[in-house]
Amino acid sequence: MTYIFVMDKPLLDQAALQDFNRLVSARRSVRSFEPGQPIPKEALKKIADAGRWAPSGANSQPWEICVVEESQRVRDVASLMANQADRLNEHCKGFPHVHKKHWVHDSVALMVVFVDARWADTYPTAFEPELDATEYQENRWNILLVSVGAAIQNIQLATTAAGLSSAWLSGGGEPQTAQDLRELLGFPSTHTPYGIVPIGWPRRRAESRWRRPIEEVIHWNEATTDNLRSREDIDHYIEKERRHSIYKDAQSRDRHLSETTPVDGEIDLVDDGS
Ligand SMILES: Cc1cc2nc3c(=O)[nH]c(=O)nc-3n(C[C@H](O)[C@H](O)[C@H](O)COP(=O)(O)O)c2cc1C
């Protein structure tokens, strides 16, 4: 990081900001990898190191980053995640899924971010148990999860910077999969794998994915209520848009949404890969 000073005053580094935004928007959850050459351990270590530098509540760093790179181990984790996806498909109505489960098998490595939730005890706790329950307890959980998200995000950004692609899988947090992963990777019951980042070589250029317009997301200095989304918007998203918004690129999402409305309850079996 270099700082530019003019007359002893720091100056905005517009070029660096633009480069950073380019990197951030190039990050995609890609669910298809080109089987390729291994990634040197040193590079994997640097990617994990980006996770290590994430901010965390009370600097608690509640994560352990398990880098899975031995090919048999990668296959074992991939099989576990395929089982998780099958269960999700069976149990969760209306959630689109990637039906070609083999794509995780093409990962060159996976980073499994285990979290020791006991570290939430290091966040603000009131003397009075009643006050703690109403005011602080839930927020300790928020702080923990948000911290972990920052670490996973850093890992994904580092993979993008290295010209690799990655995805973000949260199914490891489901009790059955969490237990399976603990047993496979040797972690105790105090630790839960809240994020799994399969890493691989891009099969093709990552497509753009739909984002809400910046004018809708930004609220300068105060809420502009006509820009806040309503309960109806959420229900509409679940019912009509979600299936097109997770795995498809922005253009095909728009195309699908402008076409005839799918039969209610109908689920796309989507595969954003090949
Ligand atoms: C907390 C979190 C959990 C996610 N869980 C999954 C998951 O289990 N499986 C999956 O395929 N993608 C998962 N994703 C990826 C999102 O679907 C993806 O980020 C979103 O559709 C936007 O696409 P993009 O990452 O390509 O920009 C998750 C992302 C986040 C932040």
Side-chain angles (χ1 to χ4, degrees), residues 170-202:
S170 48
E174 293 158 15
Q176 179 65 61
T177 308
Q179 191 48 31
D180 293 347
L181 282 164
R182 282 185 201 107
E183 279 169 23
L184 179 68
L185 301 172
F187 279 79
S189 60
T190 40
H191 289 65
T192 301
Y194 283 127
I196 299 170
V197 183
I199 297 171
W201 299 97

mmCIF file of all heavy atoms in Angstrom, residues 170-202:
data_model
loop_
_atom_site.group_PDB
_atom_site.id
_atom_site.type_symbol
_atom_site.label_atom_id
_atom_site.label_comp_id
_atom_site.label_asym_id
_atom_site.label_seq_id
_atom_site.Cartn_x
_atom_site.Cartn_y
_atom_site.Cartn_z
ATOM 1 N N SER A 170 -22.082 -22.981 2.090
ATOM 2 C CA SER A 170 -22.411 -22.817 3.505
ATOM 3 C C SER A 170 -23.007 -24.075 4.129
ATOM 4 O O SER A 170 -23.267 -24.118 5.329
ATOM 5 C CB SER A 170 -23.390 -21.648 3.674
ATOM 6 O OG SER A 170 -24.448 -21.770 2.750
ATOM 7 N N GLY A 171 -23.227 -25.106 3.300
ATOM 8 C CA GLY A 171 -23.893 -26.316 3.804
ATOM 9 C C GLY A 171 -23.128 -27.037 4.904
ATOM 10 O O GLY A 171 -23.704 -27.839 5.643
ATOM 11 N N GLY A 172 -21.833 -26.750 5.035
ATOM 12 C CA GLY A 172 -21.049 -27.376 6.101
ATOM 13 C C GLY A 172 -21.584 -27.051 7.479
ATOM 14 O O GLY A 172 -21.354 -27.786 8.444
ATOM 15 N N GLY A 173 -22.319 -25.950 7.589
ATOM 16 C CA GLY A 173 -22.875 -25.562 8.882
ATOM 17 C C GLY A 173 -24.078 -26.389 9.300
ATOM 18 O O GLY A 173 -24.510 -26.308 10.455
ATOM 19 N N GLU A 174 -24.622 -27.162 8.366
ATOM 20 C CA GLU A 174 -25.759 -28.029 8.737
ATOM 21 C C GLU A 174 -25.230 -29.163 9.623
ATOM 22 O O GLU A 174 -24.170 -29.733 9.329
ATOM 23 C CB GLU A 174 -26.414 -28.588 7.462
ATOM 24 C CG GLU A 174 -27.089 -27.490 6.645
ATOM 25 C CD GLU A 174 -27.288 -27.861 5.169
ATOM 26 O OE1 GLU A 174 -27.166 -29.060 4.821
ATOM 27 O OE2 GLU A 174 -27.537 -26.940 4.368
ATOM 28 N N PRO A 175 -25.954 -29.519 10.697
ATOM 29 C CA PRO A 175 -25.383 -30.438 11.698
ATOM 30 C C PRO A 175 -24.826 -31.750 11.111
ATOM 31 O O PRO A 175 -23.726 -32.168 11.485
ATOM 32 C CB PRO A 175 -26.554 -30.701 12.641
ATOM 33 C CG PRO A 175 -27.351 -29.453 12.578
ATOM 34 C CD PRO A 175 -27.242 -28.968 11.149
ATOM 35 N N GLN A 176 -25.559 -32.371 10.206
ATOM 36 C CA GLN A 176 -25.078 -33.654 9.672
ATOM 37 C C GLN A 176 -23.759 -33.487 8.915
ATOM 38 O O GLN A 176 -22.793 -34.214 9.135
ATOM 39 C CB GLN A 176 -26.158 -34.248 8.736
ATOM 40 C CG GLN A 176 -25.761 -35.564 8.094
ATOM 41 C CD GLN A 176 -25.597 -36.681 9.119
ATOM 42 O OE1 GLN A 176 -26.549 -37.022 9.797
ATOM 43 N NE2 GLN A 176 -24.389 -37.218 9.233
ATOM 44 N N THR A 177 -23.738 -32.479 8.038
ATOM 45 C CA THR A 177 -22.523 -32.252 7.238
ATOM 46 C C THR A 177 -21.379 -31.781 8.140
ATOM 47 O O THR A 177 -20.222 -32.171 7.941
ATOM 48 C CB THR A 177 -22.806 -31.225 6.123
ATOM 49 O OG1 THR A 177 -23.963 -31.645 5.415
ATOM 50 C CG2 THR A 177 -21.647 -31.118 5.156
ATOM 51 N N ALA A 178 -21.718 -30.950 9.130
ATOM 52 C CA ALA A 178 -20.674 -30.479 10.055
ATOM 53 C C ALA A 178 -20.014 -31.672 10.739
ATOM 54 O O ALA A 178 -18.780 -31.770 10.830
ATOM 55 C CB ALA A 178 -21.279 -29.535 11.088
ATOM 56 N N GLN A 179 -20.849 -32.627 11.174
ATOM 57 C CA GLN A 179 -20.316 -33.794 11.867
ATOM 58 C C GLN A 179 -19.460 -34.640 10.919
ATOM 59 O O GLN A 179 -18.370 -35.085 11.269
ATOM 60 C CB GLN A 179 -21.479 -34.623 12.465
ATOM 61 C CG GLN A 179 -21.062 -35.707 13.421
ATOM 62 C CD GLN A 179 -20.048 -35.243 14.485
ATOM 63 O OE1 GLN A 179 -20.038 -34.076 14.912
ATOM 64 N NE2 GLN A 179 -19.146 -36.133 14.876
ATOM 65 N N ASP A 180 -19.969 -34.819 9.687
ATOM 66 C CA ASP A 180 -19.206 -35.597 8.696
ATOM 67 C C ASP A 180 -17.837 -34.953 8.438
ATOM 68 O O ASP A 180 -16.815 -35.640 8.355
ATOM 69 C CB ASP A 180 -19.980 -35.672 7.366
ATOM 70 C CG ASP A 180 -21.270 -36.484 7.487
ATOM 71 O OD1 ASP A 180 -21.438 -37.191 8.505
ATOM 72 O OD2 ASP A 180 -22.111 -36.407 6.560
ATOM 73 N N LEU A 181 -17.842 -33.624 8.326
ATOM 74 C CA LEU A 181 -16.574 -32.931 8.035
ATOM 75 C C LEU A 181 -15.619 -32.983 9.226
ATOM 76 O O LEU A 181 -14.408 -33.154 9.058
ATOM 77 C CB LEU A 181 -16.851 -31.470 7.647
ATOM 78 C CG LEU A 181 -17.355 -31.277 6.212
ATOM 79 C CD1 LEU A 181 -17.962 -29.888 6.035
ATOM 80 C CD2 LEU A 181 -16.240 -31.487 5.185
ATOM 81 N N ARG A 182 -16.200 -32.885 10.423
ATOM 82 C CA ARG A 182 -15.345 -32.992 11.625
ATOM 83 C C ARG A 182 -14.649 -34.346 11.645
ATOM 84 O O ARG A 182 -13.446 -34.457 11.885
ATOM 85 C CB ARG A 182 -16.182 -32.856 12.895
ATOM 86 C CG ARG A 182 -16.576 -31.458 13.246
ATOM 87 C CD ARG A 182 -17.288 -31.447 14.597
ATOM 88 N NE ARG A 182 -18.091 -30.250 14.737
ATOM 89 C CZ ARG A 182 -19.434 -30.216 14.678
ATOM 90 N NH1 ARG A 182 -20.131 -31.329 14.519
ATOM 91 N NH2 ARG A 182 -20.065 -29.075 14.792
ATOM 92 N N GLU A 183 -15.451 -35.384 11.404
ATOM 93 C CA GLU A 183 -14.888 -36.741 11.465
ATOM 94 C C GLU A 183 -13.817 -36.931 10.390
ATOM 95 O O GLU A 183 -12.765 -37.501 10.637
ATOM 96 C CB GLU A 183 -15.997 -37.784 11.293
ATOM 97 C CG GLU A 183 -16.742 -38.002 12.595
ATOM 98 C CD GLU A 183 -18.010 -38.825 12.437
ATOM 99 O OE1 GLU A 183 -18.115 -39.587 11.458
ATOM 100 O OE2 GLU A 183 -18.905 -38.682 13.304
ATOM 101 N N LEU A 184 -14.089 -36.405 9.208
ATOM 102 C CA LEU A 184 -13.132 -36.580 8.111
ATOM 103 C C LEU A 184 -11.834 -35.815 8.370
ATOM 104 O O LEU A 184 -10.740 -36.321 8.137
ATOM 105 C CB LEU A 184 -13.771 -36.095 6.798
ATOM 106 C CG LEU A 184 -12.884 -36.192 5.567
ATOM 107 C CD1 LEU A 184 -12.628 -37.656 5.184
ATOM 108 C CD2 LEU A 184 -13.514 -35.446 4.389
ATOM 109 N N LEU A 185 -11.975 -34.579 8.892
ATOM 110 C CA LEU A 185 -10.805 -33.702 8.964
ATOM 111 C C LEU A 185 -10.207 -33.608 10.365
ATOM 112 O O LEU A 185 -9.214 -32.911 10.583
ATOM 113 C CB LEU A 185 -11.169 -32.301 8.436
ATOM 114 C CG LEU A 185 -11.684 -32.299 6.976
ATOM 115 C CD1 LEU A 185 -12.220 -30.916 6.587
ATOM 116 C CD2 LEU A 185 -10.611 -32.735 5.998
ATOM 117 N N GLY A 186 -10.840 -34.299 11.315
ATOM 118 C CA GLY A 186 -10.236 -34.404 12.646
ATOM 119 C C GLY A 186 -10.529 -33.253 13.583
ATOM 120 O O GLY A 186 -9.805 -33.067 14.564
ATOM 121 N N PHE A 187 -11.557 -32.457 13.317
ATOM 122 C CA PHE A 187 -11.871 -31.337 14.211
ATOM 123 C C PHE A 187 -12.821 -31.788 15.324
ATOM 124 O O PHE A 187 -13.673 -32.655 15.106
ATOM 125 C CB PHE A 187 -12.493 -30.180 13.427
ATOM 126 C CG PHE A 187 -11.466 -29.328 12.732
ATOM 127 C CD1 PHE A 187 -10.896 -29.757 11.534
ATOM 128 C CD2 PHE A 187 -11.038 -28.137 13.290
ATOM 129 C CE1 PHE A 187 -9.923 -29.000 10.905
ATOM 130 C CE2 PHE A 187 -10.065 -27.378 12.663
ATOM 131 C CZ PHE A 187 -9.509 -27.805 11.468
ATOM 132 N N PRO A 188 -12.697 -31.204 16.512
ATOM 133 C CA PRO A 188 -13.573 -31.580 17.631
ATOM 134 C C PRO A 188 -14.960 -30.934 17.505
ATOM 135 O O PRO A 188 -15.182 -30.066 16.659
ATOM 136 C CB PRO A 188 -12.836 -31.034 18.848
ATOM 137 C CG PRO A 188 -12.055 -29.888 18.335
ATOM 138 C CD PRO A 188 -11.692 -30.201 16.908
ATOM 139 N N SER A 189 -15.870 -31.332 18.384
ATOM 140 C CA SER A 189 -17.260 -30.865 18.309
ATOM 141 C C SER A 189 -17.405 -29.368 18.621
ATOM 142 O O SER A 189 -18.442 -28.776 18.355
ATOM 143 C CB SER A 189 -18.129 -31.675 19.268
ATOM 144 O OG SER A 189 -17.642 -31.500 20.581
ATOM 145 N N THR A 190 -16.350 -28.759 19.186
ATOM 146 C CA THR A 190 -16.384 -27.317 19.457
ATOM 147 C C THR A 190 -16.302 -26.496 18.171
ATOM 148 O O THR A 190 -16.536 -25.288 18.183
ATOM 149 C CB THR A 190 -15.172 -26.928 20.329
ATOM 150 O OG1 THR A 190 -14.042 -27.668 19.854
ATOM 151 C CG2 THR A 190 -15.418 -27.216 21.789
ATOM 152 N N HIS A 191 -15.932 -27.136 17.078
ATOM 153 C CA HIS A 191 -15.670 -26.406 15.839
ATOM 154 C C HIS A 191 -16.682 -26.791 14.751
ATOM 155 O O HIS A 191 -16.962 -27.969 14.553
ATOM 156 C CB HIS A 191 -14.246 -26.693 15.341
ATOM 157 C CG HIS A 191 -13.196 -26.057 16.190
ATOM 158 N ND1 HIS A 191 -12.993 -26.409 17.507
ATOM 159 C CD2 HIS A 191 -12.321 -25.058 15.919
ATOM 160 C CE1 HIS A 191 -12.016 -25.664 18.007
ATOM 161 N NE2 HIS A 191 -11.595 -24.838 17.057
ATOM 162 N N THR A 192 -17.193 -25.756 14.069
ATOM 163 C CA THR A 192 -18.199 -25.985 13.024
ATOM 164 C C THR A 192 -17.719 -25.357 11.711
ATOM 165 O O THR A 192 -17.277 -24.203 11.711
ATOM 166 C CB THR A 192 -19.547 -25.357 13.457
ATOM 167 O OG1 THR A 192 -19.942 -25.975 14.682
ATOM 168 C CG2 THR A 192 -20.632 -25.591 12.413
ATOM 169 N N PRO A 193 -17.825 -26.108 10.628
ATOM 170 C CA PRO A 193 -17.354 -25.570 9.338
ATOM 171 C C PRO A 193 -18.408 -24.694 8.679
ATOM 172 O O PRO A 193 -19.239 -25.178 7.920
ATOM 173 C CB PRO A 193 -17.088 -26.835 8.510
ATOM 174 C CG PRO A 193 -17.997 -27.871 9.097
ATOM 175 C CD PRO A 193 -18.243 -27.509 10.522
ATOM 176 N N TYR A 194 -18.378 -23.399 8.958
ATOM 177 C CA TYR A 194 -19.421 -22.501 8.439
ATOM 178 C C TYR A 194 -19.218 -22.136 6.975
ATOM 179 O O TYR A 194 -20.157 -21.674 6.331
ATOM 180 C CB TYR A 194 -19.507 -21.233 9.280
ATOM 181 C CG TYR A 194 -20.227 -21.455 10.584
ATOM 182 C CD1 TYR A 194 -19.665 -21.099 11.789
ATOM 183 C CD2 TYR A 194 -21.484 -22.050 10.583
ATOM 184 C CE1 TYR A 194 -20.332 -21.319 12.985
ATOM 185 C CE2 TYR A 194 -22.158 -22.281 11.768
ATOM 186 C CZ TYR A 194 -21.573 -21.910 12.960
ATOM 187 O OH TYR A 194 -22.230 -22.138 14.131
ATOM 188 N N GLY A 195 -18.010 -22.281 6.500
ATOM 189 C CA GLY A 195 -17.793 -21.932 5.096
ATOM 190 C C GLY A 195 -16.809 -22.885 4.445
ATOM 191 O O GLY A 195 -15.806 -23.240 5.052
ATOM 192 N N ILE A 196 -17.141 -23.284 3.221
ATOM 193 C CA ILE A 196 -16.217 -24.137 2.471
ATOM 194 C C ILE A 196 -15.976 -23.452 1.130
ATOM 195 O O ILE A 196 -16.926 -23.075 0.447
ATOM 196 C CB ILE A 196 -16.831 -25.527 2.250
ATOM 197 C CG1 ILE A 196 -17.091 -26.160 3.613
ATOM 198 C CG2 ILE A 196 -15.921 -26.397 1.395
ATOM 199 C CD1 ILE A 196 -17.905 -27.412 3.530
ATOM 200 N N VAL A 197 -14.720 -23.265 0.813
ATOM 201 C CA VAL A 197 -14.390 -22.570 -0.434
ATOM 202 C C VAL A 197 -13.634 -23.522 -1.357
ATOM 203 O O VAL A 197 -12.427 -23.720 -1.205
ATOM 204 C CB VAL A 197 -13.530 -21.309 -0.153
ATOM 205 C CG1 VAL A 197 -13.251 -20.549 -1.451
ATOM 206 C CG2 VAL A 197 -14.215 -20.395 0.858
ATOM 207 N N PRO A 198 -14.354 -24.148 -2.297
ATOM 208 C CA PRO A 198 -13.643 -24.949 -3.302
ATOM 209 C C PRO A 198 -12.891 -24.005 -4.237
ATOM 210 O O PRO A 198 -13.428 -22.967 -4.628
ATOM 211 C CB PRO A 198 -14.771 -25.670 -4.070
ATOM 212 C CG PRO A 198 -16.040 -25.363 -3.373
ATOM 213 C CD PRO A 198 -15.801 -24.155 -2.518
ATOM 214 N N ILE A 199 -11.678 -24.370 -4.565
ATOM 215 C CA ILE A 199 -10.833 -23.515 -5.416
ATOM 216 C C ILE A 199 -10.400 -24.321 -6.635
ATOM 217 O O ILE A 199 -10.055 -25.501 -6.517
ATOM 218 C CB ILE A 199 -9.583 -23.048 -4.632
ATOM 219 C CG1 ILE A 199 -10.027 -22.188 -3.431
ATOM 220 C CG2 ILE A 199 -8.622 -22.272 -5.522
ATOM 221 C CD1 ILE A 199 -8.903 -21.847 -2.476
ATOM 222 N N GLY A 200 -10.422 -23.691 -7.791
ATOM 223 C CA GLY A 200 -9.989 -24.412 -8.989
ATOM 224 C C GLY A 200 -9.630 -23.468 -10.107
ATOM 225 O O GLY A 200 -9.633 -22.248 -9.947
ATOM 226 N N TRP A 201 -9.354 -24.073 -11.236
ATOM 227 C CA TRP A 201 -8.992 -23.285 -12.412
ATOM 228 C C TRP A 201 -10.265 -22.945 -13.170
ATOM 229 O O TRP A 201 -11.122 -23.804 -13.365
ATOM 230 C CB TRP A 201 -8.034 -24.079 -13.302
ATOM 231 C CG TRP A 201 -6.769 -24.399 -12.572
ATOM 232 C CD1 TRP A 201 -6.470 -25.562 -11.931
ATOM 233 C CD2 TRP A 201 -5.665 -23.530 -12.363
ATOM 234 N NE1 TRP A 201 -5.241 -25.471 -11.331
ATOM 235 C CE2 TRP A 201 -4.717 -24.238 -11.589
ATOM 236 C CE3 TRP A 201 -5.366 -22.221 -12.753
ATOM 237 C CZ2 TRP A 201 -3.508 -23.678 -11.201
ATOM 238 C CZ3 TRP A 201 -4.154 -21.675 -12.363
ATOM 239 C CH2 TRP A 201 -3.245 -22.402 -11.595
ATOM 240 N N PRO A 202 -10.394 -21.696 -13.591
ATOM 241 C CA PRO A 202 -11.640 -21.300 -14.254
ATOM 242 C C PRO A 202 -11.843 -22.061 -15.553
ATOM 243 O O PRO A 202 -10.906 -22.233 -16.331
ATOM 244 C CB PRO A 202 -11.451 -19.804 -14.517
ATOM 245 C CG PRO A 202 -10.014 -19.511 -14.316
ATOM 246 C CD PRO A 202 -9.418 -20.597 -13.490
#
